Amino acid sequence: MNAKANKNQVTCIEPDYYQAITEAIRKEAVKILKDETVVGVVGYLPGRRKGTASPALVTTVEEAEKLIFSPACVNNLSVYLTKAKKGVLKQGKVGIVAKGCDMRALAGLMTESQLQREDLFIIGVVCPGVYGFGVERTGTLTEANIARKCRECTVHMPEGADVAAGTHAELADLTPEEAQEMARIEAMPQAERWAFWKEHFSRCIRCMACRQVCPFCYCEQCLCDKNRPQAVESSPRPAGNMAWHLVRAMHLAGRCGGCAECERVCPMDIPLNLLNRRMAQELKELYDFEAGLTPVDKGPLNEYKENDDQSFIK
Amino acid sequence: MHVEVTKHDFEPKIVAFVCTWCTYAGADLAGTSRMQYPPNVRVLKFPCTGRIDPVFILRAFQKGADGVLVSGCHPGDCHYMAGNFHARRRFAAFRALLDFVGVDLNRLQFSWVSAAEGGKWVDVVTELTERVRTMGPMPEFKELEHEEQWSGAINTPELKEAYDSIG
Amino acid sequence: MPQIITEQNLRNLIDLLVKEAKLVVGPKLSGSVVLYEPLTAGSDLTLDALPRRSSKELFFPICEDILSYKRENGAMKVNDVDRSKFPEAVLIGAPPCDAGSPAILDAVMSWDYKDEFYLERRRKSTIVGIACTKGDDACFCRAVGLAPDAEAGSDLFLTPLKDGSYACNAVTEKGQALVAAHQNLFSEGAGAEPKPFVDQAVAKLNLVKIKKWLEEHFEDPLWEKIADICVGCGACAFICPACHCFDINDEGSTDDGVRRKHWDACGFAKFTNHASGHNPRDVQNKRYRNRIMHKFKYYDDKFGKTLCTGCGRCIRACPVGIDIAEILETINSKQD
Amino acid sequence: MCKSDNIYLPNLATIEAIVDETPDVRTLRLVFQDEQVRENFSFRAGQFAEYSSFGFGESTFCIASAPTRKGYIECCFRSVGRVTESLRRLEVGDTVGVRGPYGNSFPIEEFFGKSLVFIAGGIALPPLRTVIWNCLDLRDKFKDITIVYGARSEADLVYKHELKEWQERDDVRLVKCVDPGGAGPDFDGKVGFVPTVLEEAAPSAENTIALVCGPPIMIKFTLPVLERLGFTDDNIYTTLENRMKCGVGKCGRCNVGNVYVCKDGPVFTARQVKAMSQEF
């Protein structure tokens, strides 16, 4: 699919490119706020530190004129529609700035009846990629500072958005680091795989950032909170950590949109998206399901076919 | 009378999560028919395989199971119409996940055993028990249970090891 | 006369301390991140990056047993944890923003009721601080009254010199004892010039003024604005050198188990939730307000100290880019 | 148990008696297993303790028995959460852990020579019951004692047997009430909300201390009534509760503004409560 887009492949994406998206977002946000299509727009505002941005809900034209899009706009804003901004949705339609990967989350949430399409005005971003963690934030996106998930992005175009900001461009010849890492892990002997994950999970401090930024973790009561009975040990020790991350991966199987926010926010750098990716891969192989940009009737684990594979069952 | 049984060095702990309508009845049948099967298996009864959450399997391993069996009605026979169809997909995914984090899937068996299949129950349990017996105890999750973050451990084994190697 | 230790000798010192069976904790590469972890050799020490988690965990572990219980012959028995088993420890290579945190936390852990888990570990540890010559745009230790060369909290303080060695200042008796016990690794001399410190983006804050503003503005539109985007994770609190909130939980059966104390965060929705369902801090901005208030007002009210060392970890780690330095600057710049 | 400096270590106590106050409220009478603890344990009315149900954790309740009655303590709780439900499953003879006593207390000595009005709603009687019995045991030190107690329904009234006892005593004036719709056919109290009933009962504010405890909504409407009756904020006492874990001012969750309920409270005067950050 990307082969077609070769003419748009460049070695670096200049700040001008993001500036153009910024202008387009501002124009659209101002318009929909002015004509009262929406009660607010969830977008990005610049942060204090150079090359940073943070999510914001803007409700006035003045604020909307400050919205930006830059490689620092890493957040998946759809999380706000199921968590903090739930209340906003009750007041009316909300505008949301969404990259392709974020739109998969929106589609998934619509599949699960958490959102209605008509409640949203989606300002899609034709996104060439965003920064990885701890990289140099120069304003220009290059192979050196692009996020790992963006290296294999298949959703540069936010199809199905109400408007799209930006023109297609992507970095050329990106190595698929995550796919390579997947292959590396899969090729490991089983004991080594266990050791790999054990080491990662042991570092977990259960800050729950992975859960809190996940658009799909909208349960009111989480399995890893204190429960009766307690299925997952709630204290941050290796045993409970392992159980927590496995349970989380399982709960996201067939739902995760692959925005990799869990991995990005992990203060301990646990490669959580690998788990999600493994599950996605399995569901693709078994049931031909892929998280897409349009809502579906049911997720792969909420439906079944009578002739599903059962070679593993005696 | 006491039946003489072969003594093994290692008796694996097997936890079986079964649905009450088919497999539990099947196991019952095996019992009432006086069929012999390894006493290593601890049976836990659920309304349906659809109720058997993957976290139960994790929990079983964590609490010392060396092998886990999940068994329910044959496809199409579910008392609740489709519980086992859903379970089938879920377990297929869960297997992939366990494999990915390095758990040996030979310790986890799924099966369909109907109320009439006392013999199949015996076969499944025996096979799993013997397979796990040859594999030996499952150390991974159990070890994890006793591990602490370094700061919470009073004297970590790693440290001890380090001291030994330097000393 | 200042003492000088070469980098090699610093690493040798670690080797020696490890041989003495001390728990030597310092920045170490663990996977892809630098963390404070037990060093097994001098070569483990990594001074290139600020560890992701603060050094508080040496004194206040992520999770620790506080007692165990067991029913024996029908009678419940509670067993204390043998705190005499806590190892003698040396924390090495902590910058002032980490080395300074125990000096702040001692107050809450020892007022009236004394948390012996923390205090015993404190008594048994020596802190070797190191002046910070790194830093990035999230650092703001100067703004909260510390400095890259602040010795507060350190027993022995190292200043990196341009020739790669370190000037040592034994701040406390513990520090002197550490030097005296390994005198051959140190030499006397003036040493080279110190490495320069990095400039910080945040100007010095008027903490008195901030506290006064907080006192008068428990209700303020600012709170709604800044915590609007907080997703309620505990990353900021867990990696903070000064956050000390914890939870106590039983793990085990009714017959046999342990009671554990582990980190908790005021940002979690269930932190203050009553069993009845009533929650005094029911929305995220109240919880975030509590975080700021606790650090810059409540702790000062109670113990005369600010519960922040300006390490900037929460700024770097916040999933949604909430910047505590920016908030403090905003408050600092308010006219009334 | 040997002396330990571990502040989180509970003393073991045996459940000596269980009383079901309402369908979901239960009183446990606890006796310390260690003889020394049993003899030396002393507390003041208003203090609380951390009760543990092993395997489930700890829960915070006031000590509901009177400090003047030695040899045992009582706690009273509604089973709503993990720990309380597990405590409810325990039987006579079972063991629980008790840490405490913690917090401040009602300054009973300062009340000597004065009249007292107790106002409680629902499950909030236990924190005042300790004071009530404390004062009744020292009856001649006080002038009039009035108790206004209300609950949602007749079944929700706790300490029914003691209410009866107080009703029969001629040195106590008990006004009990239930919310409209909550009275059974034989109910001998008043029907109405606590603030209204209090206003009707109109105890004199002259040389009188009011002790109020109840759900936030009751407190909210009771304070103005007390004010109309002539009580000053310094003469109104209440006891707060918040989620607590450590009980000793470390864990950081029970604070209301800069006030730690566990250390600075739980007993406050209305003046202190009004000065707090409004976050409870």
Side-chain angles (χ1 to χ4, degrees):
Chain A
M1 203 206 296
N2 285 346
K4 261 196 295 183
N6 263 344
K7 63 176 187 319
N8 296 321
Q9 294 202 339
V10 287
T11 51
C12 71
I13 312 252
E14 299 291 346
D16 289 355
Y17 179 86
Y18 291 95
Q19 191 53 40
I21 300 178
T22 298
E23 298 300 334
I25 291 174
R26 283 181 188 167
K27 200 173 131 235
E28 204 57 44
V30 166
K31 186 175 144 245
I32 55 177
L33 278 168
K34 254 189 190 152
D35 64 18
E36 291 178 356
T37 311
V38 296
V39 291
V41 177
V42 187
Y44 304 92
L45 289 176
R48 169 184 67 96
R49 297 183 296 150
K50 187 173 162 283
T52 61
S54 71
L57 170 75
V58 299
T59 48
T60 64
V61 170
E62 296 76 61
E63 287 173 306
E65 277 164 352
K66 292 184 192 134
L67 289 174
I68 60 158
F69 191 79
S70 75
C73 297
V74 288
N75 299 69
N76 179 350
L77 300 178
S78 58
V79 64
Y80 288 109
L81 302 179
T82 54
K83 288 188 182 141
K85 299 289 170 291
K86 243 177 170 171
V88 179
L89 277 171
K90 288 191 193 113
Q91 291 163 31
K93 195 165 175 166
V94 172
I96 182 166
V97 177
K99 308 184 283 289
C101 45
D102 308 342
M103 284 198 54
R104 277 200 294 236
L106 290 175
L109 289 171
M110 286 174 212
T111 297
E112 295 178 11
S113 304
Q114 298 298 314
L115 291 177
Q116 304 295 322
R117 181 65 181 89
E118 55 271 25
D119 290 342
L120 297 180
F121 185 95
I122 303 176
I123 306 176
V125 174
V126 185
C127 171
V130 292
Y131 290 145
F133 185 80
V135 297
E136 218 162 313
R137 307 182 302 259
T138 54
T140 305
L141 191 77
T142 65
E143 160 122 45
N145 61 10
I146 192 170
R148 188 158 87 165
K149 66 167 176 176
C150 300
R151 290 170 172 269
E152 293 164 70
C153 178
T154 56
V155 284
H156 291 286
M157 292 302 294
E159 277 154 38
D162 290 287
V163 290
T167 48
H168 185 207
E170 57 187 273
L171 293 177
D173 307 322
L174 294 170
T175 37
E177 283 176 4
E178 198 176 64
Q180 288 171 354
E181 180 73 354
M182 287 290 290
R184 190 178 74 85
I185 297 169
E186 303 242 16
M188 283 178 186
Q190 182 205 316
E192 221 174 285
R193 277 206 298 276
W194 176 263
F196 172 88
W197 286 110
K198 187 172 130 174
E199 197 222 308
H200 275 295
F201 293 150
S202 297
R203 276 209 304 271
C204 172
I205 49 177
R206 298 276 204 112
C207 67
M208 298 299 158
C210 48
R211 179 183 77 183
Q212 294 305 111
V213 293
C214 179
F216 290 97
C217 275
Y218 53 72
C219 294
E220 299 272 337
Q221 177 74 23
C222 175
L223 198 82
C224 74
D225 287 333
K226 271 286 166 198
N227 285 298
R228 284 160 293 162
Q230 189 74 32
V232 176
E233 198 182 88
S234 64
S235 41
R237 292 169 73 249
N241 295 349
M242 169 72 79
W244 155 239
H245 288 292
L246 294 186
V247 165
R248 206 184 97 82
M250 199 54 213
H251 282 190
L252 287 173
R255 306 169 64 220
C256 171
C259 66
E261 281 283 272
C262 46
E263 180 170 319
R264 173 184 72 83
V265 301
C266 180
M268 294 298 121
D269 278 9
I270 303 173
L272 292 170
N273 199 41
L274 296 178
L275 293 173
N276 297 333
R277 190 169 163 150
R278 178 68 189 85
M279 295 315 283
Q281 183 186 320
E282 188 69 15
L283 294 171
K284 168 89 173 107
E285 279 166 22
L286 288 174
Y287 312 119
D288 199 28
F289 172 84
E290 244 179 312
L293 292 177
T294 39
V296 291
D297 262 359
K298 276 179 177 174
L301 293 187
N302 290 329
E303 59 171 0
Y304 64 91
K305 288 206 177 79
E306 295 199 352
N307 60 355
D308 280 338
D309 170 63
Q310 57 172 15
S311 53
F312 64 96
I313 303 174
K314 197 158 270 173
Chain B
M1 267 306 289
H2 180 70
V3 182
E4 203 52 47
V5 287
T6 335
K7 278 238 166 24
H8 298 279
D9 288 342
F10 168 56
E11 288 299 341
K13 278 188 192 151
I14 309 285
V15 176
F17 297 108
V18 305
C19 99
T20 187
W21 302 100
C22 294
T23 307
Y24 192 78
D28 232 12
L29 179 65
T32 48
S33 315
R34 304 201 157 216
M35 294 183 201
Q36 294 286 329
Y37 61 88
N40 305 53
V41 60
R42 283 96 167 139
V43 179
L44 282 102
K45 168 170 93 157
F46 288 78
C48 176
T49 37
R51 173 64 186 94
I52 301 169
D53 193 301
V55 78
F56 300 162
I57 301 174
L58 277 182
R59 189 91 178 140
F61 282 133
Q62 284 184 329
K63 293 294 158 197
D66 301 299
V68 172
L69 171 67
V70 179
S71 185
C73 309
H74 283 273
D77 293 349
C78 178
H79 188 78
Y80 308 99
M81 310 307 287
N84 54 0
F85 284 125
H86 285 289
R88 187 166 63 183
R89 282 204 167 193
R90 203 177 312 138
F91 291 131
F94 188 55
R95 269 169 51 90
L97 180 62
L98 284 184
D99 182 52
F100 190 59
V101 296
V103 176
D104 193 334
L105 293 181
N106 284 316
R107 295 187 181 272
L108 179 57
Q109 180 68 57
F110 298 90
S111 66
W112 306 135
V113 173
S114 80
E117 295 175 319
K120 184 174 177 187
W121 168 255
V122 171
D123 290 346
V124 168
V125 169
T126 312
E127 195 197 313
L128 178 64
T129 308
E130 292 315 315
R131 189 167 72 218
V132 172
R133 194 195 304 284
T134 57
M135 293 170 75
M138 180 175 196
E140 287 93 348
F141 282 102
K142 266 175 275 179
E143 278 172 17
L144 216 52
E145 282 287 293
H146 298 110
E147 274 178 33
E148 300 277 350
Q149 311 255 19
W150 68 264
S151 53
I154 291 177
N155 213 345
T156 63
E158 295 94 300
L159 260 181
K160 272 212 181 95
E161 203 182 286
Y163 298 151
D164 295 344
S165 68
I166 295 167
Chain C
M1 197 68 174
Q3 304 264 353
I4 305 291
I5 187 167
T6 61
E7 180 169 344
Q8 188 49 51
N9 273 352
L10 182 63
R11 294 186 190 274
N12 292 345
L13 174 66
I14 296 171
D15 285 338
L16 282 172
L17 291 170
V18 171
K19 260 190 204 150
E20 290 167 21
K22 290 212 166 62
L23 172 66
V24 186
V25 173
K28 176 182 174 183
L29 193 65
S30 166
S32 61
V33 291
V34 175
L35 296 174
Y36 285 104
E37 281 196 351
L39 305 176
T40 50
S43 54
D44 281 350
L45 186 71
T46 314
L47 291 171
D48 310 333
L50 183 70
R52 287 286 175 85
R53 300 203 293 247
S54 82
S55 59
K56 75 174 172 191
E57 68 184 295
L58 173 58
F59 314 104
F60 174 39
I62 302 175
C63 178
E64 68 177 322
D65 295 357
I66 51 177
L67 59 92
S68 60
Y69 58 90
K70 196 174 175 66
R71 197 186 301 276
E72 279 165 3
N73 306 323
M76 183 62 80
K77 214 173 157 273
V78 172
N79 296 307
D80 198 354
V81 170
D82 185 0
R83 285 175 296 283
S84 68
K85 290 253 172 66
F86 289 173
E88 294 279 336
V90 180
L91 171 64
I92 215 155
C97 54
D98 278 336
S101 91
I104 298 172
L105 292 179
D106 285 350
V108 67
M109 293 302 179
S110 60
W111 72 311
D112 199 350
Y113 293 91
K114 297 189 171 18
D115 186 319
E116 283 299 322
F117 291 88
Y118 173 91
L119 295 172
E120 179 71 6
R121 286 193 164 91
R122 269 290 270 149
R123 281 192 286 271
K124 284 188 169 167
S125 56
T126 305
I127 301 176
V128 181
I130 185 165
C132 174
T133 52
K134 301 172 294 284
D136 61 14
D137 52 1
C139 289
F140 63 105
C141 63
R142 284 189 192 279
V144 293
L146 274 170
D149 58 348
E151 294 179 344
S154 294
D155 295 307
L156 178 66
F157 194 75
L158 309 178
T159 308
L161 305 178
K162 278 185 172 161
D163 63 358
S165 59
Y166 300 89
C168 315
N169 182 25
V171 186
T172 66
E173 281 175 15
K174 272 185 187 171
Q176 284 161 5
L178 185 71
V179 174
H182 305 90
Q183 192 62 59
N184 56 331
L185 297 174
F186 297 84
S187 60
E188 292 201 348
E193 250 182 83
K195 280 189 190 164
F197 302 126
V198 176
D199 284 341
Q200 289 182 4
V202 185
K204 191 154 169 52
L205 298 165
N206 182 343
L207 295 174
V208 176
K209 186 181 165 191
I210 289 176
K211 191 184 157 193
K212 186 159 179 291
W213 187 90
L214 291 174
E215 209 156 274
E216 290 160 0
H217 295 83
F218 188 77
E219 302 289 346
D220 194 272
L222 179 83
W223 301 123
E224 267 156 57
K225 217 179 114 232
I226 55 171
D228 202 23
I229 53 169
C230 178
V231 287
C233 75
C236 51
F238 284 8
I239 58 177
C240 174
C243 278
H244 62 265
C245 291
F246 59 84
D247 197 356
I248 297 176
N249 274 313
D250 280 17
E251 220 84 63
S253 71
T254 48
D255 292 339
D256 186 3
V258 291
R259 182 162 294 166
R260 297 200 179 112
K261 176 176 139 191
H262 60 84
W263 293 354
D264 205 350
C266 58
F268 290 151
K270 294 187 194 298
F271 186 67
T272 50
N273 202 20
H274 293 195
S276 64
H278 172 68
N279 193 347
R281 299 200 272 272
D282 52 353
V283 289
Q284 203 58 36
N285 54 40
K286 287 188 190 168
R287 300 193 268 272
Y288 198 81
R289 173 177 65 193
N290 188 68
R291 178 172 163 79
I292 302 273
M293 288 275 185
H294 192 190
K295 289 191 172 302
F296 297 95
K297 177 173 168 1
Y298 304 157
Y299 203 79
D300 192 83
D301 286 344
K302 287 254 178 253
F303 308 113
K305 290 189 166 95
T306 298
L307 197 62
C308 172
T309 63
C311 69
R313 283 192 180 88
C314 55
I315 303 176
R316 289 178 210 107
C318 181
V320 297
I322 295 177
D323 187 332
I324 196 169
E326 185 182 11
I327 295 164
L328 294 173
E329 278 185 326
T330 310
I331 297 174
N332 200 43
S333 64
K334 292 206 184 256
Q335 287 309 309
D336 56 323
Chain D
M1 191 170 302
C2 61
K3 285 237 180 304
S4 166
D5 53 7
N6 180 351
I7 52 174
Y8 306 108
L9 208 62
N11 289 307
L12 294 178
T14 308
I15 301 177
E16 197 190 53
I18 293 174
V19 181
D20 279 321
E21 307 291 355
T22 79
D24 61 352
V25 174
R26 176 170 276 193
T27 292
L28 300 181
R29 176 174 290 204
L30 306 168
V31 176
F32 289 109
Q33 291 174 357
D34 184 279
E35 203 176 322
Q36 264 190 328
V37 178
R38 194 158 60 227
E39 274 166 22
N40 299 334
F41 188 89
S42 70
F43 66 99
R44 292 181 46 90
Q47 289 193 294
F48 66 91
E50 294 283 341
Y51 302 83
S52 42
S53 162
F54 293 100
F56 294 90
E58 292 183 308
S59 222
T60 315
F61 322 116
C62 65
I63 302 175
S65 54
T68 42
R69 314 214 164 166
K70 304 277 184 196
Y72 66 89
I73 61 167
E74 284 181 355
C75 67
C76 180
F77 58 91
R78 168 173 285 156
S79 86
V80 279
R82 198 180 135 83
V83 180
T84 45
E85 278 177 19
S86 72
L87 281 172
R88 199 186 159 80
R89 282 195 294 273
L90 298 179
E91 290 164 7
V92 171
D94 282 345
T95 301
V96 299
V98 181
R99 274 192 302 127
Y102 296 130
N104 68 356
S105 56
F106 290 98
I108 303 243
E109 292 77 13
E110 289 175 24
F111 302 162
F112 285 174
K114 296 183 176 174
S115 296
L116 301 173
V117 182
F118 297 93
I119 304 146
I123 177 78
L125 185 58
L128 293 186
R129 179 221 189 203
T130 166
V131 197
I132 295 174
W133 280 117
N134 195 169
C135 296
L136 290 179
D137 287 344
L138 308 167
R139 186 62 190 89
D140 53 347
K141 304 261 193 212
F142 305 96
K143 292 188 170 151
D144 299 340
I145 292 182
T146 310
I147 301 167
V148 180
Y149 174 53
R152 245 172 309 172
S153 73
E154 216 181 322
D156 287 318
L157 292 167
V158 299
Y159 299 129
K160 292 189 183 69
H161 48 292
E162 294 181 16
L163 291 176
K164 196 156 171 268
E165 194 182 330
W166 295 338
Q167 201 155 17
E168 283 161 5
R169 283 176 77 139
D170 50 12
D171 56 355
V172 180
R173 178 180 171 212
L174 174 74
V175 184
K176 68 177 177 187
C177 63
V178 293
D179 291 356
D186 304 324
F187 185 60
D188 56 351
K190 291 183 186 299
V191 174
F193 296 105
V194 170
T196 330
V197 172
L198 171 69
E199 194 148 27
E200 283 167 20
S204 158
E206 175 85 39
N207 194 27
T208 304
I209 299 289
L211 298 92
V212 192
C213 194
I217 185 84
M218 186 202 101
I219 304 245
K220 191 182 158 193
F221 287 104
T222 302
L223 289 182
V225 172
L226 286 172
E227 204 173 311
R228 280 200 291 281
L229 292 171
F231 286 88
T232 64
D233 285 348
D234 288 322
N235 287 335
I236 303 172
Y237 284 81
T238 188
T239 159
L240 295 182
E241 64 164 29
N242 251 349
R243 186 179 164 96
M244 289 177 197
K245 279 291 178 175
C246 69
V248 291
K250 316 261 178 259
C251 78
R253 71 195 67 217
C254 70
N255 66 308
V256 178
N258 63 356
V259 175
Y260 278 56
V261 173
C262 67
K263 287 280 298 158
D264 305 322
V267 176
F268 297 97
T269 63
R271 180 177 304 284
Q272 289 169 319
V273 170
K274 283 180 182 170
M276 283 177 198
S277 308
Q278 298 304 300
E279 190 179 60
F280 40 80

